[in-house]
Amino acid sequence: MGNVWAMLRVLAVDDEIPALAELARLLRQDPRIEHVSTASGGVRALQDMVAMIGAGERLDGLFLEIRMAGLDGLDLARLVAGFPRPPRLVFVTAHEECAVQAFDLEAVDYVLKPVRADRLAEAVRRLEAALPAAAAPAPGPEDVIPVELGGRTRFVPRQSVWFAEARGDYVRLHTVDGSYLIRMSLAALERRWSGAGFIRIHRSTLVSARHVKEMRFDGGRAVLQVGTETLPISRRHTRQVREQLVRQFQGRPPAAGT
């Protein structure tokens, strides 16, 4: 089994500043990534990584260009391989002829420029899957969300939530006994519940795997049956949702009487 880090910490490396800024922007939009550092070239990246090691900081992934002045991406990758806990490598480059060398260095992916958001999301998925399962955080106590209802405060337990929908700066929580609006972004809620079996199925929808009854295709589109609701899965998320559900259900104890 692959990674179960709660969130990823990565370093993006490119000596072309506009390309570096765009790569960092796309990485920061991914809800699986906690922190993105940048380095404008191989030499600067090496210096930054040495400083990170000295400070005891974790670095899970390196997204790097190959053709760079001074120290290119392949040479940097060879140096990184000698680190005590080397980050996993994702090459992001316009040079497709270096793919064999990149994978010889055990890169988890090789993304060609111009970078598409969906292709980069797949690279993040592969990075996540390549990290060791031993990094799993210990399960925390049951989370409860306080909701204000006309002068009263209702405490909604996480386990009662079927799914959550983005509503601008708010999120609507759907439960077996009603729905509740809370002031929180969906990305923040996803980070808070990342280790509790909640899965992003659409840019505006987060579902609880424990309440999923089935996944099926309806008119060519994938949908989930969650509680009494049928929710569409975006094409971008379909494969990832299926894989996460399979892992989730494999980890469930058998039902009584089976």
Side-chain angles (χ1 to χ4, degrees):
M1 183 176 293
N3 158 66
V4 283
W5 288 102
M7 299 284 282
L8 301 172
R9 300 179 64 85
V10 304
L11 174 64
V13 187
D14 199 319
D15 62 352
E16 294 184 359
I17 301 304
L20 178 61
E22 175 64 7
L23 176 59
R25 183 186 71 82
L26 292 172
L27 287 169
R28 288 177 179 129
Q29 289 180 345
D30 195 301
R32 295 164 292 186
I33 293 180
E34 175 185 17
H35 181 73
V36 180
S37 300
T38 61
S40 55
V43 173
R44 178 61 184 270
L46 186 60
Q47 293 170 342
D48 289 352
M49 283 187 283
V50 170
M52 288 178 187
I53 292 172
E57 296 180 23
R58 194 184 87 231
L59 181 63
D60 303 315
L62 195 58
F63 289 76
L64 70 162
E65 171 61 89
I66 288 180
R67 302 298 188 204
M68 294 185 292
L71 182 64
D72 74 12
L74 294 174
D75 288 337
L76 176 60
R78 294 184 184 102
L79 291 171
V80 168
F83 285 13
R85 293 182 181 85
R88 302 311 300 262
L89 304 173
V90 176
F91 288 96
V92 183
T93 180
H95 304 279
E96 54 186 290
E97 70 274 8
C98 298
V100 173
Q101 292 171 276
F103 286 114
D104 282 345
L105 292 168
E106 299 184 355
V108 299
D109 208 349
Y110 194 90
V111 180
L112 290 175
K113 295 178 179 178
V115 182
R116 303 192 322 270
D118 60 337
R119 182 63 185 85
L120 191 62
E122 171 62 14
V124 173
R125 185 194 70 78
R126 293 182 185 184
L127 169 63
E128 193 177 41
L131 292 171
E142 172 62 23
D143 195 9
V144 174
I145 298 285
V147 180
E148 297 301 322
L149 297 171
R152 295 179 294 118
T153 301
R154 176 166 293 182
F155 297 96
V156 179
R158 182 181 61 208
Q159 65 182 11
S160 72
V161 177
W162 288 351
F163 64 99
E165 288 184 295
R167 290 286 185 268
D169 293 332
Y170 292 80
V171 171
R172 184 166 291 280
L173 303 177
H174 295 264
T175 74
V176 65
D177 59 356
S179 66
Y180 307 93
L181 199 63
I182 60 171
R183 187 173 179 83
M184 179 185 291
S185 71
L186 194 67
L189 185 66
E190 183 175 29
R191 289 193 294 271
R192 180 167 173 170
W193 289 352
S194 61
F198 279 76
I199 301 171
R200 180 76 75 114
I201 67 167
H202 190 277
R203 61 185 177 84
S204 62
T205 313
L206 188 68
V207 305
S208 170
R210 69 184 296 161
H211 293 293
V212 172
K213 295 182 178 178
E214 68 175 10
M215 177 178 177
R216 66 177 187 273
F217 285 86
D218 189 356
R221 295 295 301 272
V223 298
L224 283 185
Q225 186 73 33
V226 184
T228 59
E229 300 290 328
T230 300
L231 305 175
I233 306 172
S234 72
R235 288 189 173 90
R236 172 186 172 185
H237 289 87
T238 298
R239 178 179 174 182
Q240 181 181 332
V241 168
R242 184 182 183 280
E243 291 175 353
Q244 286 183 269
L245 285 174
V246 167
R247 290 198 298 268
Q248 188 79 17
F249 287 122
Q250 284 176 340
R252 283 187 182 180
T258 61

